[in-house]
Amino acid sequence: ILESNSGFILLLEHKDGDIIGGAGGVISNFLTSSVPNFIEMFWWVEPEFRGRLGLKLYNECIAEAKKRGAKRALMAYMANSMPDEMERLYIAKGYRPFEHHMIKDL
């Protein structure tokens, strides 16, 4: 993904040099549309640094996606990771529900 330039990863570095977060995804069209989408693959920040720094990382990620030609963004959140708060955040940022995933161990 990175070598093909279809995706990117951003890292959030603490002043002491430790990586405390990251976000990344790919830019791709759906099979039924020619609109370039940024599809978030991960967005994670150490719990004690969430809030302002997490939003900064999100904003930088979306800016990078736009710079790379994305016209839409698809963001996800895990059902066991503050789902109510994440849904409120995404709705406040102008997102609307799009798809739900189900998981099963194989």
Side-chain angles (χ1 to χ4, degrees):
I1 291 171
L2 296 176
E3 289 176 4
S4 71
N5 206 32
S6 65
F8 62 90
I9 294 173
L10 301 176
L11 298 175
L12 185 58
E13 187 176 355
H14 191 270
K15 60 186 173 188
D16 65 9
D18 289 343
I19 302 300
I20 58 171
V26 297
I27 298 177
S28 178
N29 298 350
F30 289 139
L31 293 175
T32 58
S33 170
S34 62
V35 176
N37 299 282
F38 168 66
I39 304 165
E40 173 244 350
M41 303 306 285
F42 69 96
W43 171 33
W44 190 83
V45 176
E46 290 280 357
E48 62 267 28
F49 298 103
R50 291 179 184 164
R52 187 179 57 81
L53 289 178
L55 288 174
K56 181 178 192 258
L57 180 60
Y58 162 83
N59 289 331
E60 289 183 17
C61 191
I62 296 302
E64 182 65 23
K66 285 180 184 177
K67 186 172 101 176
R68 292 173 178 252
K71 302 296 182 202
R72 279 192 296 227
L74 285 82
M75 301 293 289
Y77 57 88
M78 297 177 69
N80 65 350
S81 182
M82 305 181 322
D84 295 335
E85 292 89 342
M86 295 307 298
E87 183 174 11
R88 279 195 298 275
L89 170 69
Y90 288 140
I91 289 172
K93 295 231 172 250
Y95 291 82
R96 62 190 182 281
F98 174 70
E99 181 176 74
H100 294 276
H101 290 94
M102 304 299 284
I103 192 168
K104 173 184 171 181
D105 292 335
L106 300 179

